[in-house]
Amino acid sequence: MRKLSKKNIKIGILGGTFDPPHKGHLHISKIALRKLKLNKLIWAITKKNPLKKKPYLKIKTRIKLSKKITSKDKKIFINCFDDKIKSVNTFDLLNHIKKKQKGTELYFLIGADNLVKFHKWKNWKKIPKLAKLAVFPRDNYLLGKSKYIVSKTLKKNDLIYINSKKVNISSSLIRKFW
C-alpha cells in the first residue's frame, strides 16, 4: 500500500452538539467517507451550539454515546475541542485542526438546514478558506438553492452538495420522545 503524503490526506469534520447522536449522523458520515474519499472523519462534539439552547445531555454522555454508535467504523473519531481551543465556534475549530494537520484537505459536513443561518456563524465567509463545505440534504430544505445568503455569497466551488438518501431523524425529534 502506498504511503500517503499530507497533501493526499482528506479529513472530514462533522461538528455539533450530538444531543443525542443518532443514525442520521452515522449515515452522512459513511456517505462522506465514501463520496469524498476521506481518510478519516472527526465528530467534533461541542459543549454548546452558540445559536441553540443549552444541550439536554451532558457532554460526557454525548461523547460516550457517540463512541458507542461509531465503534464499528475505524475511520470515525470522536473529540471535543472546546477546552483546547477555548471556543465553541466552527471557524476556531477548523483553524485549530488546519494548523495541526498542515497540508491536509478539510471538509466540514453540514445539513442543508444549516445553510439558513450559516451567515450568522462567526467568520462564516472565512470558513471555506479552511474547509470545503459538504452539504447534505435535509427534509424541507433544498440543496443548491440560491435563496440562502450563504449560497449567494460564497463561491460555487466552496460548497459541495452531496446527493444522498435523507434520513428522517434529528436530535430534536428524538428528545421530543424522551
Side-chain angles (χ1 to χ4, degrees):
M1 188 165 119
R2 89 183 157 90
K3 189 174 178 183
L4 293 172
S5 74
K6 286 225 176 198
K7 289 187 179 177
N8 299 111
I9 295 175
K10 293 179 170 187
I11 299 174
I13 296 111
L14 179 60
T17 51
F18 296 85
D19 188 33
H22 52 73
K23 67 179 182 180
H25 295 126
L26 191 59
H27 173 75
I28 66 169
S29 296
K30 288 181 178 188
I31 288 170
L33 283 163
R34 186 172 40 87
K35 287 195 173 188
L36 299 171
K37 297 177 175 58
L38 301 175
N39 298 91
K40 73 177 184 178
L41 186 122
I42 301 166
W43 282 18
I45 302 173
T46 187
K47 290 180 180 177
K48 186 190 178 319
N49 180 325
L51 301 177
K52 291 183 179 177
K53 293 178 185 172
K54 184 179 177 233
Y56 182 77
L57 297 171
K58 292 184 184 333
I59 185 73
K60 286 182 180 180
T61 303
R62 292 183 275 134
I63 289 170
K64 183 179 173 184
L65 291 171
S66 295
K67 285 181 178 179
K68 185 176 179 182
I69 197 172
T70 61
S71 65
K72 291 185 177 136
D73 200 312
K74 302 299 176 224
K75 288 188 174 188
I76 300 175
F77 299 86
I78 310 303
N79 207 329
C80 178
F81 295 89
D82 296 1
D83 292 338
K84 256 181 244 161
I85 64 173
K86 308 275 188 274
S87 176
V88 295
N89 292 298
T90 299
F91 176 78
D92 297 329
L93 167 70
L94 293 173
N95 212 13
H96 172 79
I97 293 172
K98 194 77 170 173
K99 285 178 185 172
K100 292 283 186 193
Q101 302 286 330
K102 285 185 172 61
T104 60
E105 272 185 77
L106 296 183
Y107 295 82
F108 189 73
L109 283 53
I110 62 172
D113 56 319
N114 282 306
L115 292 180
V116 176
K117 291 185 179 179
F118 192 79
H119 64 282
K120 294 182 179 185
W121 293 23
K122 178 185 174 188
N123 294 327
W124 69 278
K125 289 181 183 176
K126 294 179 181 178
I127 289 174
K129 290 174 178 49
L130 300 171
K132 292 211 182 282
L133 297 174
V135 185
F136 287 81
R138 289 293 300 261
D139 279 342
N140 304 317
Y141 295 92
L142 301 171
L143 285 180
K145 296 298 173 192
S146 59
K147 70 177 185 172
Y148 306 120
I149 292 171
V150 65
S151 303
K152 293 177 189 175
T153 309
L154 298 180
K155 295 176 194 163
K156 285 190 194 278
N157 64 351
D158 288 338
L159 298 162
I160 301 168
Y161 296 100
I162 308 290
N163 286 315
S164 68
K165 181 183 140 200
K166 293 179 212 163
V167 176
N168 191 18
I169 192 166
S170 70
S171 295
S172 53
L173 182 65
I174 292 169
R175 287 192 306 272
K176 282 183 184 179
F177 295 101
W178 279 3

